[in-house]
Amino acid sequence: MERITTPEIQPFETAHTAKVRELAPECMVLLKNDGTLPLKKTGKIALFGGGARRTIKGGTGSGDVNVRHYINVEEGLENAGFEVVTKDWLDAYDAAVEKEADKYFKELRKQADAVGVNPVLFAMGKTAPVPEYDFPLDADADTAVYVLARISGEGSDRLTGEGDISLTKEEVRDILALNEKYEHFVLVLNTGGMVDLSPVESVPAILLMGQLGTPTGDVLADVLTGKSYPSGKLTMTWAPLDAYPSTEGFGGVDDTVYREGIYVGYRHFDTVKKDVIYPFGYGIGYTTFEVADPAIEASAGTVTVTATVKNTGDFKGKEIVQVYVSAPEGKLDKPYQVLAAYAKTAELLPGESAKVQACFALKDLASFDEEQDAWILEAGTYTVRVGNCSRDTVVAGTFTQDETIITEKAYKASADTAEIRAQKPGSFTWDDVKSGKCTVSDFADTLTDEQLIYLCIGAYKDADDVMEIIGNAATTVAGAAGETTGRLKDAGVPALVMADGPAGIRISKDYTLVDGEAKGGLSLGGDVMKVFTEEELQATIAAATAGGNAEAQKYYQYCVAIPIGTAIAQSWNDSLAESLGDLVGKEMDTFGIQIWLAPALNIHRSPLCGRNFEYYSEDPLISGKMAAAITKGVQKYPGHATTIKHFACNNQETNRYFSNSIVSTRAMREIYLKGFEICVKESQPHFIMTSYNLINGVHSCNRKDLITDILRNEWSFKGVVMTDWLVTGGMTINEGEKWPAASAAGNVKAGNDITMPGIPADKADIEDALANPEHPYALTRNDLLACAERVLEKILQLG
């Protein structure tokens, strides 16, 4: 761990920002282009829109990153040599936004006080509406750029009305007027997900910039000028909101029924042959490509697909070859096609060709048969298609499966007949474990039940009935999200530090040391702090930095924000994702963080999910591959780990602590668990975080079938499972709430090793379960040992 004593920019910040700038163009998706892009010259430019100056680098909540500074679009264009000639418009828009935000968050504060909820929790994920305005659009320029911005995040889902998925009347008015007024016009989407562009479909140049972290504005300028080029493709189908089968019933307060089953995203749209706005896998570039000579070869359980890609245009670029398979209808119904593999070319110059190859295993085409509780590969003819999006493919070949076979049976747990391991006399230390004098099991056997319980709960203070929500739950790293227990330090067992993600490391920008404990400023970003009065805000800051003084040595820990998850996945480039994981791993190493609470790989079930920007795709293959690649990047640094999350079905934020997802077993297996399975088998992450929601009536963190039977016994996961924050006794159950909070004892029983962040009620629940055989999750010492030993193994490996 490095304690940086100067506020000056560090070499790693410069290098990491440059790396993100180099990689991020691959994450952009060019949706339309009439030849306007790339722009032919710099000079005067008319810049408009909510994201021009108030550019969004990422979403809100745990995925935010407290950077030193990030480049907005205005700054990026000026850095590239443009003269922004619409300063008056931007100033007027800023003033209107601030006025609307102040009014909105003051009203939220009143609502929070009225229902007795912490105002920060109440406001989490909420954003002020876009203000009404009417400012002149005239400027001395022949080129205009309008940056449409949308932010979303943890705690709230997206809205169907104007100002979120739909454009406001002011936005539609100005975009259409600019398209008519200026010789060259580009609509840039600074969004983390889909927006309904139907009112402005006449615009001929539309670029999905996304939210690209620290150098966002510079990356856009590079792409607009042709210094670099977009080569990404969509990882979620863009269609009218009411066309998604997931829209009906989305956001149910108590129960959400996944009526569409396995027919999520393109699996639905392609099967029912319904027109969409932009199909899954779609994206164009500054050049054109031809995919020719597709062929397949099946051997030893693997199908290899080859094709030749030629750059047929006048600009350099990269193309993504997508392989889809149509499985035969047999006992089980099948989607029209499913993504089986993909490959991205290196940069191709005009006229240049390259041969690409993509492979997949036959067993990966199996479907889950609920009757047999098994994966089956059905007999019949399988058609392999190759193309550059789900709606633009050609048949590469077919192969025949002669008979239906079971590729894998679901794990069936047997009765636990193990003898209870009583506490053994002895006084092993952690040094004994590290030196090999004793094993982790030997050491655990000497611990008391109370010590084992502490290992199964995050670091908490005895006086705390709820978690410190400001993000100062760790003592070693200011602003970190939490730690494993520090109550075994007398025996030499260190704590592991956890920091939020997934768009980089979320910790305080600066801190002081008070009696050896790192005390830093707030790590909550955005407008959410507007719910506090100035006096409350200062008091909160004082509490977060308690014991500090102006004379104390100040330390600095500025991190670099990487692109949001959806943007990373839009690159369709596993190597790019691994490079970004490598970048994060380096910063973890610098700041003494062992556990990164990322990546997040839940499925884009609906465009309405407020956290979709953190997630990769509607497709589990892309989700799993991207998460595995980022995990591999982080794990290049010994002692540093990822935490893939949220396991599973974290597909809405509405009432997220007590929402019950009703999902068929087949849909769970083929859609919502498959990405986690791919990531576990390809990268063996050290940690997994369960989701808040219930699944078919039981909290995911209390589901032994999910955590022990599937994750550990079927997929051979070797790591530690932890809960998301405050899913157990720390949550207040409101009158009329249908579902209860999760149980800390239930976590242990399920094999969920650590309840985070931990409160006294969690310890009491586990103690009661040990003593009371009538407890719903009655425990033995063996149950505690199983969880505690896995935690100790990771402390040994990472600490």
Side-chain angles (χ1 to χ4, degrees):
M1 178 179 183
E2 182 180 349
R3 296 207 186 271
I4 299 170
T5 58
T6 173
E8 300 301 317
I9 295 176
Q10 298 299 300
F12 81 84
E13 290 181 78
T14 302
H16 289 182
T17 301
K19 188 65 175 178
V20 174
R21 183 174 179 175
E22 172 195 336
L23 298 175
E26 292 201 42
C27 305
M28 288 189 185
V29 182
L30 186 59
L31 299 175
K32 295 177 71 175
N33 190 23
D34 64 344
T36 298
L37 293 175
L39 300 177
K40 307 303 184 285
K41 59 184 175 64
T42 55
K44 293 181 179 180
I45 193 166
L47 181 62
F48 304 93
R53 181 176 286 171
R54 309 172 76 87
T55 309
I56 298 166
K57 75 179 190 306
T60 65
S62 66
D64 195 14
V65 179
N66 297 305
V67 299
R68 175 192 299 274
H69 172 72
Y70 74 95
I71 308 297
N72 67 18
V73 170
E74 180 183 26
E75 185 179 354
L77 292 177
E78 291 176 335
N79 289 343
F82 287 96
E83 179 189 353
V84 176
V85 294
T86 47
K87 298 286 188 179
D88 289 346
W89 192 98
L90 297 173
D91 291 341
Y93 183 83
D94 271 352
V97 169
E98 282 297 318
K99 182 178 179 181
E100 185 69 34
D102 287 341
K103 181 176 73 172
Y104 177 76
F105 282 98
K106 283 178 181 176
E107 179 58 33
L108 277 187
R109 173 57 186 268
K110 291 179 182 177
Q111 295 174 17
D113 290 344
V115 295
V117 175
N118 182 288
V120 173
L121 288 178
F122 189 82
M124 184 178 291
K126 296 182 174 66
T127 56
V130 178
E132 294 183 6
Y133 60 90
D134 190 3
F135 310 134
L137 299 175
D138 297 313
D140 179 23
D142 62 6
T143 300
V145 171
Y146 188 99
V147 185
L148 179 77
R150 291 291 186 268
I151 193 167
S152 59
E154 185 175 8
S156 292
D157 286 313
R158 297 185 67 189
L159 304 175
T160 58
E162 291 186 4
D164 196 339
I165 285 183
S166 297
L167 274 58
T168 67
K169 61 181 183 295
E170 290 84 7
E171 290 168 336
V172 173
R173 177 198 67 206
D174 287 357
I175 290 169
L176 293 178
L178 292 168
N179 191 40
E180 292 295 322
K181 184 181 291 285
Y182 287 86
E183 183 179 351
H184 309 292
F185 176 62
V186 182
L187 174 58
V188 174
L189 306 180
N190 179 209
T191 67
M194 186 197 79
V195 285
D196 180 6
L197 298 177
S198 55
V200 295
E201 60 184 8
S202 59
V203 173
I206 303 176
L207 175 65
L208 174 57
M209 174 177 71
Q211 297 159 348
L212 303 175
T214 297
T216 295
D218 283 337
V219 179
L220 177 63
D222 290 344
V223 167
L224 292 181
T225 58
K227 182 179 178 180
S228 57
Y229 51 87
S231 64
K233 293 184 183 288
L234 295 177
T235 58
M236 181 181 189
T237 307
W238 284 30
L241 191 59
D242 59 5
Y244 294 88
S246 57
T247 297
E248 182 184 357
F250 178 88
V253 174
D254 293 321
D255 300 290
T256 299
V257 182
Y258 290 39
R259 293 182 178 87
E260 70 281 0
I262 63 169
Y263 294 93
V264 176
Y266 74 91
R267 285 169 165 81
H268 164 74
F269 292 110
D270 292 352
T271 301
V272 301
K273 297 179 171 57
K274 191 173 185 67
D275 288 340
V276 299
I277 300 170
Y278 294 112
F280 175 82
Y282 172 81
I284 59 177
Y286 289 166
T287 189
T288 54
F289 294 96
E290 177 185 79
V291 179
D293 305 322
I296 70 169
E297 180 180 345
S299 176
T302 298
V303 176
T304 301
V305 182
T306 57
T308 300
V309 179
K310 182 178 181 179
N311 183 341
T312 56
D314 300 322
F315 205 94
K316 58 190 175 183
K318 299 179 181 181
E319 179 63 304
I320 299 157
V321 176
Q322 302 164 37
V323 178
Y324 297 87
V325 175
S326 298
E329 289 273 356
K331 177 182 179 182
L332 303 177
D333 58 295
K334 306 290 198 313
Y336 169 70
Q337 61 184 1
V338 170
L339 182 71
Y342 56 88
K344 190 167 190 175
T345 68
E347 181 174 275
L348 297 178
L349 299 176
E352 188 176 5
S353 297
K355 196 168 187 177
V356 298
Q357 179 176 292
C359 303
F360 60 89
L362 281 177
K363 65 180 180 61
D364 291 339
L365 303 179
S367 302
F368 196 82
D369 181 5
E370 295 183 18
E371 286 186 3
Q372 298 186 71
D373 210 18
W375 291 92
I376 63 171
L377 188 66
E378 296 207 72
T381 299
Y382 289 74
T383 302
V384 181
R385 293 182 170 85
V386 173
N388 58 14
C389 76
S390 74
R391 292 293 175 93
D392 185 10
T393 61
V394 296
V395 174
T398 63
F399 62 88
T400 301
Q401 175 67 28
D402 294 330
E403 60 180 354
T404 298
I405 61 171
I406 292 176
T407 61
E408 186 178 0
K409 289 284 288 182
Y411 177 84
K412 293 296 183 186
S414 57
D416 184 6
T417 58
E419 181 180 348
I420 302 300
R421 288 162 52 189
Q423 182 183 2
K424 295 179 180 179
S427 57
F428 288 124
T429 67
W430 195 241
D431 283 339
D432 294 332
V433 179
K434 291 193 293 183
S435 68
K437 182 178 178 181
C438 71
T439 66
V440 164
S441 292
D442 293 334
F443 177 78
D445 277 337
T446 67
L447 300 178
T448 65
D449 286 353
E450 184 176 48
Q451 288 173 311
L452 294 176
I453 291 172
Y454 282 134
L455 283 166
C456 297
I457 304 174
Y460 69 92
K461 299 172 183 176
D462 287 324
D464 288 347
D465 288 324
V466 295
M467 171 195 164
E468 299 173 62
I469 62 166
I470 301 303
N472 266 342
T475 60
T476 309
V477 178
E483 296 178 349
T484 58
T485 188
R487 302 194 189 239
L488 276 72
K489 286 185 177 178
D490 287 347
V493 180
L496 300 180
V497 180
M498 308 169 186
D500 264 329
I505 300 169
R506 183 168 173 261
I507 52 180
S508 300
K509 294 179 182 179
D510 52 64
Y511 64 99
T512 59
L513 291 176
V514 180
D515 297 329
E517 184 174 333
K519 292 286 188 178
L522 305 179
S523 49
L524 286 175
D527 286 337
V528 69
M529 303 312 294
K530 289 180 181 290
V531 296
F532 288 137
T533 65
E534 184 60 31
E535 293 78 11
E536 289 173 327
L537 184 59
Q538 294 306 318
T540 304
I541 293 173
T545 58
N549 62 75
E551 306 300 321
Q553 171 67 60
K554 203 169 189 178
Y555 300 93
Y556 301 88
Q557 44 187 23
Y558 292 107
C559 299
V560 172
I562 64 174
I564 58 172
T566 300
I568 295 172
Q570 286 170 177
S571 74
W572 293 65
N573 186 338
D574 300 358
S575 296
L576 179 147
E578 186 170 336
S579 294
L580 292 171
D582 184 287
L583 182 156
V584 171
K586 170 62 177 174
E587 294 190 14
M588 292 172 68
D589 193 53
T590 299
F591 295 117
I593 296 159
Q594 290 82 38
I595 305 170
W596 188 39
L597 302 177
L601 64 150
N602 293 107
I603 293 296
H604 289 179
R605 175 179 177 253
S606 166
L608 288 168
C609 178
R611 268 184 114 164
N612 273 354
F613 73 96
E614 294 187 34
Y615 308 152
Y616 297 118
S617 176
E618 66 189 20
D619 183 80
L621 176 68
I622 294 177
S623 301
K625 290 281 189 181
M626 291 294 160
I630 286 182
T631 294
K632 290 174 184 176
V634 169
Q635 289 177 172
K636 288 179 181 178
Y637 295 85
H640 302 290
T642 64
T643 307
I644 63 173
K645 64 183 186 182
H646 311 85
F647 192 62
C649 296
N650 197 142
N651 305 118
Q652 72 177 49
E653 291 297 289
T654 301
N655 195 30
R656 60 182 182 159
Y657 297 103
F658 303 109
S659 171
N660 178 37
S661 298
I662 301 173
V663 196
S664 72
T665 300
R666 184 182 177 192
M668 280 291 295
R669 290 286 195 156
E670 294 188 24
I671 305 295
Y672 299 101
L673 298 184
K674 177 56 71 172
F676 289 95
E677 179 182 2
I678 291 168
C679 182
V680 166
K681 290 181 176 179
E682 291 196 4
S683 67
Q684 196 56 241
H686 295 300
F687 293 85
I688 287 182
M689 180 190 292
T690 51
S691 55
Y692 285 123
N693 51 280
L694 301 90
I695 300 175
N696 298 327
V698 179
H699 278 280
S700 64
C701 58
N702 287 169
R703 292 201 69 111
K704 188 172 185 177
D705 57 345
L706 194 65
I707 297 167
T708 298
D709 297 346
I710 295 176
L711 177 61
R712 297 192 192 283
N713 292 319
E714 286 188 26
W715 303 349
S716 300
F717 175 65
K718 306 300 183 186
V720 165
V721 179
M722 70 173 75
T723 69
D724 207 335
W725 269 231
L726 290 174
V727 71
T728 56
M731 292 309 303
T732 300
I733 301 175
N734 299 318
E735 185 176 351
E737 202 84 67
K738 178 176 179 179
W739 300 103
S743 163
N747 293 336
V748 175
K749 193 74 172 179
N752 195 331
D753 305 304
I754 312 177
T755 297
M756 292 300 300
I759 59 172
D762 294 328
K763 180 171 182 278
D765 184 32
I766 297 174
E767 289 174 331
D768 183 40
L770 277 174
N772 178 11
E774 302 302 316
H775 190 287
Y777 298 103
L779 299 173
T780 67
R781 180 177 167 88
N782 279 15
D783 296 319
L784 280 179
L785 282 166
C787 292
E789 285 180 13
R790 286 190 287 264
V791 175
L792 289 169
E793 289 285 1
K794 285 303 168 190
I795 293 174
L796 178 63
Q797 184 176 1
L798 303 176

